[in-house]
Amino acid sequence: FSDMDEKKIIINIGRQLGSGGREIARLLANDLGYKFYDKELLYLAAKESGFSEKVFEKNDEQKGFLRSLLCMHAPHIGDNSFYKSDFSQESLFLFQSDAIKKAATNGACVFVGRCADYVLREYDNVINIFITADMKQRIDRVIKRHNCDDVMACKIINSQENERASYYNYYTGQKWGYAENYDLCINSSILGIEGTVAFIRDFIKSRQCNLF
């Protein structure tokens, strides 16, 4: 994969809640020696914008204006009048998009969610992947993560996925999880976490010749 790294392959991974998508993305990044960006993007966006990282955390992959900040005055941010005059989730999305583009320019990496596939749609070195899983496994993972019963796990999945889908659909004009928006859609229940990572690695290797 050394040649791929030199050419700065960018992998964007969308995922259903409880699919193991984040773990798969992290393991894939480790295996390939790529940088990994999940919540790290919130730190980068905060650093670029001058806003608190908590501002981005509270609105992470959620659509709508920032209710908690309506009474706050936005700090002076450079010379960009748009950011100063329109302090909304839209402006936070732009800060995050800028952070994604900057990270993508710096080297090979794996992004998790946050519309990175759309933000980098004009890049020619991108592979977009969506990960799903059987509902039982998804529920089991959420139960373990949140220490709750299966009824609450289903509510968490439905609630968070609705927010994630609304966020993605709103900012991209595309449909979250819709197969034609991705290069590969895979059910992690079939091969397991490690097997899915290995499968994606092989897929990336087969795709590299078509990217450059």
Side-chain angles (χ1 to χ4, degrees):
F1 281 88
S2 59
D3 289 342
M4 293 174 62
D5 186 62
E6 288 175 7
K7 293 176 179 177
K8 298 182 180 179
I9 295 268
I10 308 300
I11 304 167
N12 300 314
I13 294 187
R15 73 285 182 221
Q16 285 189 306
L17 193 70
S19 65
R22 184 186 186 281
E23 183 181 0
I24 289 167
R26 181 181 58 80
L27 291 172
L28 184 66
N30 286 342
D31 285 354
L32 298 177
Y34 290 8
K35 289 186 178 179
F36 173 73
Y37 294 101
D38 181 25
K39 298 255 182 216
E40 293 81 359
L41 283 173
L42 306 183
Y43 167 75
L44 292 176
K47 185 178 179 182
E48 290 291 319
S49 68
F51 290 120
S52 166
E53 188 174 350
K54 294 189 177 188
V55 171
F56 291 89
E57 287 177 353
K58 286 181 180 179
N59 297 275
D60 189 23
E61 292 189 301
Q62 295 181 7
K63 183 176 75 69
F65 291 93
L66 303 176
R67 298 176 186 173
S68 62
L69 298 173
L70 288 178
C71 297
M72 291 179 61
H73 295 290
H76 177 76
I77 308 171
D79 295 320
N80 195 319
S81 60
F82 174 81
Y83 290 143
K84 289 187 288 184
S85 63
D86 185 27
F87 179 54
S88 63
Q89 183 150 357
E90 279 72 13
S91 58
L92 291 190
F93 178 78
L94 290 177
F95 283 127
Q96 186 168 273
S97 297
D98 289 344
I100 289 171
K101 290 176 181 177
K102 186 172 183 179
T105 301
N106 287 338
C109 53
V110 178
F111 292 110
V112 176
R114 295 171 186 83
C115 303
D117 58 329
Y118 178 78
V119 172
L120 301 175
R121 63 193 180 281
E122 295 180 358
Y123 287 53
D124 59 4
N125 58 335
V126 169
I127 297 175
N128 297 320
I129 298 168
F130 191 83
I131 298 172
T132 183
D134 295 346
M135 182 55 81
K136 185 180 184 305
Q137 287 195 7
R138 295 171 62 199
I139 290 172
D140 289 344
R141 287 193 181 99
V142 172
I143 288 173
K144 185 176 180 181
R145 187 184 308 164
H146 293 277
N147 191 26
C148 62
D149 60 21
D150 57 348
V151 174
M152 180 56 68
C154 285
K155 289 182 179 178
I156 290 172
I157 288 173
N158 289 332
S159 174
Q160 292 191 18
E161 284 213 333
N162 284 338
E163 289 179 347
R164 188 176 288 175
S166 293
Y167 178 89
Y168 182 90
N169 297 349
Y170 178 78
Y171 285 109
T172 69
Q174 300 176 164
K175 189 173 180 180
W176 179 78
Y178 197 58
E180 69 178 25
N181 295 328
Y182 307 93
D183 301 304
L184 173 69
C185 297
I186 185 167
N187 184 332
S188 63
S189 298
I190 296 174
L191 298 174
I193 298 297
E194 296 286 349
T196 301
V197 172
F199 184 90
I200 293 174
R201 281 192 56 150
D202 289 343
F203 177 78
I204 293 168
K205 189 173 182 179
S206 69
R207 285 277 292 132
Q208 74 177 79
C209 294
N210 297 324
L211 287 173
F212 302 100

